[in-house]
Amino acid sequence: MKLNFLAKMSETKICKFEHTSEEDDLACALESVGVSKRKGRGQVPSGLTHECGVFGAIGCGDWPTSLEISQIICWGLVALQHRGQESAGIVTSEGRCSKSFNVVKGMGMISNIFNDEAIRRLKGSIGIGHTRYSTSAASEEVNCQPFVVHTAHGALAVAHNGELVNCDSLRRQVLEHGVGLSTHSDSELITQALCLNPPAGEPNGEPDWPARIKHFMNLAPLSYSLVIMLKDKIYAVRDPYGNRPLCLGKMLPINEPLHVDIDDSREAEGWVVSSESCGFLSIGAQYVREVFPGEIIEMTRHGIRTIDIIERPESKMQAFCIFEYVYFARADSIFEGQMVYSVRMQCGRQLAIEHPVEADIVSAVPESGNAAAHGFSRQSGIRFSEVLCKNRYVGRSFIQPSNRLRQLSVAKKFGALAGNVKGKKVILIDDSIVRGNTIGPIIKLLKNAGATEVHVRVASPPLRYPCYMGINIPTREELVANKMTPKELAIQVGADSLEYLSLEGLIKAVRSDIKTKNAHTNVGHCTACLSGIYPGGVPNTTSDDW
């Protein structure tokens, strides 16, 4: 069966689930893969759940370094907290002993795990960190990263963002080598796979870590960004499709400006690598560039260098996750030479072009809808005004004894600014709609506050397919776009109209200002959750051909 069955399905067929038998077979196959890969996941109450964030830091020059590596990593992880709030961990090395690392890991938020005592325990001139939301294993302390294993050649620590699409076949290969696995996490699987000898062997008896990393990358082309730490070096690795983000920063003396162009003559005090660049300024690091798809970078006290770049198959395009722009990334992060905030504004502009509507004000569901709302406002000429005040201190409701409370539970996150709303026709911009549970109570809140009309505009296309590359998207049956047309959904949630940005419009907005490595670089984005077209083909748990 071919993926073009999914790509060619009409909107009516998708919304109504009126598939042909072959389309049904493919949809069922996708769901069975999802069930297999996601065994043990927690339930997602409404929208998408985030992925993970990885961070690494190393001091340059003589060690012990003057940089407070553990504190730098902690602050770096705080900047990545939006990528995962279940657990976090930091592993450091003092660079002298290859047999042991300093490790602190735990469940919960970063501020709760890394107190002063924990930071004091994390001595070292080099370290890596991770903040996690579970995608392929349960939310348990045993799955906290970074994973640390003790090899014949010393300790090895690995932190991973993403999800291996061929984890079943790789798991079989690792187990056949007599390696035991203590979790269902594909991140532990990566750690153990890196301990395997490469095909060419290691004639001198010393581990050839670049060869091991290349061997792993050839076995598993998707999807990961990795930071791999040894006693005295870090390897930063991005999969050949560039599906997950990873970028480099240069630590400069505290009195040197960070906003100027990169100057190789300025000596680095250290180097950092991170899933996103959003935390660099807060730790005194200058954004340098992204790790290229397939690139392996070695970071030591002497600086950084590219070890190798693993190429994709000739027929395959780069596949950076387009939903990083839409939803996941922090607005001040930089991808592909452009700030996420600017791309979201461009999405709003494109949305105004595609789906104009007469209204008094434009507003947003805070906070990831804000930039798109400003873009919509500028393009349409309709003024922007805030209509929702977000309550940042809402806890989870474990017991909801009545249907009335269940219906109100989403709206408790927001308050309506009645003075801005009363008597107004409102255009409300949201970044995405997943199950459709959230938008209805918000519309009701605004109409209760006096809004005469509420027109919903969504700054991304309808979500219709699961993701197998590090994002926990609900099943096809749970995605509201597979159940209702925009018109039907508008009626369901009480909106006066509801429209999505087209896939073509999203791609146009994302690529409108991309600055690539050179004019001939191929640009490509993964749109699998929107189009059903997966960059490596449909995942198959019974096949090794990925």
Side-chain angles (χ1 to χ4, degrees):
M1 289 182 289
K2 303 293 185 182
L3 274 171
N4 57 8
F5 280 115
L6 289 175
K8 292 179 180 178
M9 281 161 37
S10 70
E11 186 171 338
T12 303
K13 285 185 178 180
I14 292 174
C15 292
K16 297 291 188 179
F17 261 94
E18 297 170 359
H19 307 304
T20 67
S21 59
E22 288 187 87
E23 290 162 357
D24 277 332
D25 289 343
L26 185 49
C28 289
L30 288 171
E31 285 305 321
S32 66
V33 174
V35 171
S36 171
K37 289 178 68 60
R38 286 159 172 74
K39 186 176 181 180
R41 278 190 186 180
Q43 293 296 312
V44 184
S46 57
L48 306 178
T49 51
H50 296 66
E51 316 157 72
C52 299
V54 299
F55 196 92
I58 186 168
C60 291
D62 295 332
W63 287 358
T65 180
S66 59
L67 295 175
E68 296 173 321
I69 291 295
S70 59
Q71 190 66 68
I72 288 170
I73 298 171
C74 184
W75 287 357
L77 291 180
V78 168
L80 298 176
Q81 184 76 87
H82 59 283
R83 299 186 72 87
Q85 298 93 45
E86 282 190 357
S87 64
I90 295 176
V91 178
T92 62
S93 168
E94 297 172 60
R96 296 190 298 266
C97 178
S98 64
K99 293 184 179 180
S100 63
F101 292 152
N102 302 312
V103 182
V104 174
K105 297 195 286 185
M107 302 298 293
M109 304 289 276
I110 291 156
S111 59
N112 295 329
I113 300 168
F114 300 106
N115 55 27
D116 291 345
E117 176 58 29
I119 293 296
R120 279 193 292 269
R121 285 163 49 195
L122 290 166
K123 297 177 181 178
S125 298
I126 176 177
I128 64 174
H130 186 272
T131 184
R132 178 176 188 263
Y133 184 87
S134 61
T135 53
S136 63
S139 176
E140 299 170 351
E141 191 160 354
V142 69
N143 291 313
C144 294
Q145 295 187 47
F147 278 112
V148 179
V149 296
H150 297 275
T151 75
H153 308 284
L156 171 75
V158 176
H160 167 222
N161 167 217
E163 186 173 0
L164 297 184
V165 296
N166 65 334
C167 61
D168 286 359
S169 62
L170 187 59
R171 180 176 290 272
R172 285 196 299 272
Q173 292 182 57
V174 168
L175 292 174
E176 285 168 2
H177 280 81
V179 175
L181 297 171
S182 59
T183 74
H184 291 288
S185 168
D186 51 359
S187 304
E188 186 202 13
L189 183 60
I190 292 170
T191 309
Q192 296 291 1
L194 289 169
C195 297
L196 301 177
N197 289 337
E202 294 167 331
N204 299 326
E206 291 296 319
D208 185 344
W209 290 108
R212 292 183 180 198
I213 294 169
K214 285 188 282 186
H215 177 48
F216 162 75
M217 294 175 75
N218 287 323
L219 291 173
L222 277 166
S223 159
Y224 48 83
S225 286
L226 306 172
V227 284
I228 303 165
M229 190 181 82
L230 304 171
K231 173 185 72 172
D232 55 0
K233 65 184 63 173
I234 293 173
Y235 289 101
V237 181
R238 194 174 178 200
D239 74 57
Y241 289 80
N243 186 251
R244 293 287 146 233
L246 197 63
C247 61
L248 292 167
K250 184 178 184 179
M251 297 288 296
L252 295 171
I254 196 68
N255 59 342
E256 291 203 27
L258 302 176
H259 64 275
V260 298
D261 291 338
I262 299 297
D263 183 356
D264 291 337
S265 66
R266 294 203 290 173
E267 188 172 344
E269 288 192 336
W271 291 88
V272 293
V273 60
S274 175
S275 292
E276 294 182 39
S277 60
C278 54
F280 283 0
L281 291 178
S282 66
I283 59 171
Q286 182 182 41
Y287 173 79
V288 176
R289 65 172 175 88
E290 291 180 279
V291 177
F292 301 132
E295 187 175 17
I296 305 170
I297 294 178
E298 183 182 76
M299 307 169 67
T300 70
R301 70 180 72 184
H302 306 296
I304 65 170
R305 66 187 181 110
T306 298
I307 297 295
D308 205 344
I309 296 180
I310 307 302
E311 300 291 339
R312 296 183 299 278
E314 287 186 11
S315 61
K316 300 295 185 180
M317 293 287 291
Q318 183 174 324
F320 178 55
C321 174
I322 206 164
F323 241 78
E324 290 284 352
Y325 286 113
V326 172
Y327 182 81
F328 291 117
R330 218 171 80 172
D332 54 337
S333 289
I334 297 171
F335 297 139
E336 301 176 303
Q338 53 189 351
M339 189 167 287
V340 170
Y341 185 89
S342 300
V343 173
R344 289 176 181 166
M345 278 195 66
Q346 195 62 35
C347 289
R349 286 184 178 275
Q350 186 65 30
L351 188 57
I353 293 169
E354 292 184 5
H355 300 294
V357 61
E358 290 186 9
D360 300 307
I361 57 174
V362 177
S363 195
V365 177
E367 293 170 340
S368 53
N370 289 349
H374 282 290
F376 194 106
S377 172
R378 294 185 186 187
Q379 182 66 38
S380 66
I382 303 171
R383 71 181 178 91
F384 175 87
S385 179
E386 292 186 6
V387 299
L388 293 169
C389 180
K390 190 171 184 179
N391 181 357
R392 303 176 190 278
Y393 305 99
V394 175
R396 181 179 174 187
S397 294
F398 292 94
I399 299 173
Q400 296 176 339
S402 70
N403 186 53
R404 182 175 183 274
L405 287 181
R406 279 194 293 272
Q407 291 177 359
L408 293 172
S409 63
V410 175
K412 72 182 180 180
K413 298 178 182 177
F414 302 100
L417 300 174
N420 294 351
V421 171
K422 190 173 182 179
K424 300 289 196 310
K425 297 177 182 179
V426 179
I427 301 171
L428 186 66
I429 310 295
D430 204 353
D431 58 3
S432 58
I433 293 181
V434 185
R435 284 188 171 95
N437 295 340
T438 304
I439 195 70
I442 291 174
I443 293 168
K444 184 174 177 59
L445 185 70
L446 294 177
K447 291 196 171 182
N448 285 344
T452 58
E453 295 179 12
V454 178
H455 299 271
V456 176
R457 294 295 181 268
V458 186
S460 66
L463 275 159
R464 292 195 170 108
Y465 305 95
C467 175
Y468 307 109
M469 290 163 285
I471 302 174
N472 194 0
I473 292 180
T475 62
R476 283 173 54 83
E477 287 81 2
E478 294 173 287
L479 294 170
V480 72
N482 289 323
K483 300 176 182 178
M484 301 180 190
T485 65
K487 196 169 188 178
E488 290 168 342
L489 181 56
I491 296 170
Q492 174 77 17
V493 300
D496 292 273
S497 69
L498 185 148
E499 298 290 351
Y500 296 91
L501 180 64
S502 68
L503 180 55
E504 296 76 19
L506 174 60
I507 292 171
K508 181 179 179 181
V510 166
R511 297 182 184 176
S512 61
D513 194 34
I514 282 182
K515 299 177 181 66
T516 53
K517 190 168 60 168
N518 59 60
H520 304 290
T521 299
N522 290 327
V523 174
H525 295 95
C526 177
T527 62
C529 58
L530 310 171
S531 66
I533 300 173
Y534 294 82
V538 179
N540 188 337
T541 57
T542 62
S543 171
D544 297 345
D545 185 17
W546 246 77

